[in-house]
Amino acid sequence: MSRFIMPVFIIAVLIIGCAKRVGVYDSFVEGSRQSVKLILEIFPYICAVLIAVELFSLSGLNAYFSRFLAPVFNLFGIPEELCELVVIRPLSGNGSIAILENIYKTYGADSYIARCGSVIVGASETVFYIATVYFSTTKVKKLRYAIPVSLFSCYLGAIFACLLCRFI
């Protein structure tokens, strides 16, 4: 069934566009032109965030930061084994997936630690990447509470993920 979704969607767009007498091809080309312009505008911001995340990981700061925060996370019910995942998740999606894969190998996919890690990764977002993309396109310079509230929500979600996995 799912293999028919995209073809049906494309055909529906073509039919609706023709019915409304919209130049479907011209609209597609114009949208493509604007997307290339958008990519060129946000590329420096994304590049800066990716370099910062890589430096954070390669320098070992994430390991030190994780060890430093482990007692605090443990106080809130997040196991020490997940501290690095919780720290890296707001920064890097691929990095958090790599850490989660390592957790699966070390503790097994059905363990409490792996279940918590899976829920944390599935229920949280890469805050800094998303903020970079959204705020660079809207030219917002004063983020005010956006990043702190997003990080608070991300960490609160991790706490509830571990709490939920305890009862399941």
Side-chain angles (χ1 to χ4, degrees):
M1 176 81 175
S2 64
R3 66 177 180 237
F4 296 116
I5 291 174
M6 285 309 292
V8 168
F9 177 75
I10 292 170
I11 291 169
V13 167
L14 290 172
I15 291 172
I16 292 169
C18 289
K20 291 187 174 189
R21 293 192 166 94
V22 174
V24 178
Y25 181 74
D26 294 333
S27 297
F28 175 78
V29 170
E30 181 59 29
S32 298
R33 182 178 295 121
Q34 290 175 2
S35 67
V36 169
K37 181 181 171 190
L38 176 67
I39 289 169
L40 291 174
E41 286 178 10
I42 67 173
F43 181 75
Y45 299 100
I46 292 174
C47 187
V49 166
L50 293 176
I51 289 171
V53 167
E54 192 66 23
L55 287 174
F56 183 70
S57 296
L58 291 176
S59 68
L61 280 175
N62 67 334
Y64 291 122
F65 203 63
S66 298
R67 276 188 246 128
F68 177 74
L69 290 176
V72 177
F73 286 155
N74 221 351
L75 182 70
F76 289 109
I78 299 173
E80 187 175 334
E81 298 86 356
L82 294 176
C83 289
E84 190 174 6
L85 176 68
V86 172
V87 167
I88 205 74
R89 180 61 184 162
L91 300 170
S92 171
N94 288 336
S96 60
I97 295 295
I99 293 170
L100 184 62
E101 183 180 356
N102 190 23
I103 288 170
Y104 289 159
K105 287 178 185 175
T106 306
Y107 301 101
D110 291 330
S111 67
Y112 168 70
I113 303 289
R115 288 192 322 250
C116 287
S118 297
V119 176
I120 289 168
V121 169
S124 61
E125 190 54 74
T126 53
V127 172
F128 290 100
Y129 177 79
I130 297 299
T132 299
V133 172
Y134 288 162
F135 291 125
S136 67
T137 57
T138 59
K139 305 293 184 211
V140 173
K141 299 296 180 206
K142 295 181 182 179
L143 303 180
R144 200 168 279 200
Y145 301 115
I147 300 292
V149 168
S150 297
L151 288 173
F152 176 76
S153 300
C154 191
Y155 295 131
L156 191 64
I159 292 168
F160 279 108
C162 292
L163 182 67
L164 179 69
C165 287
R166 244 184 236 287
F167 297 110
I168 292 180

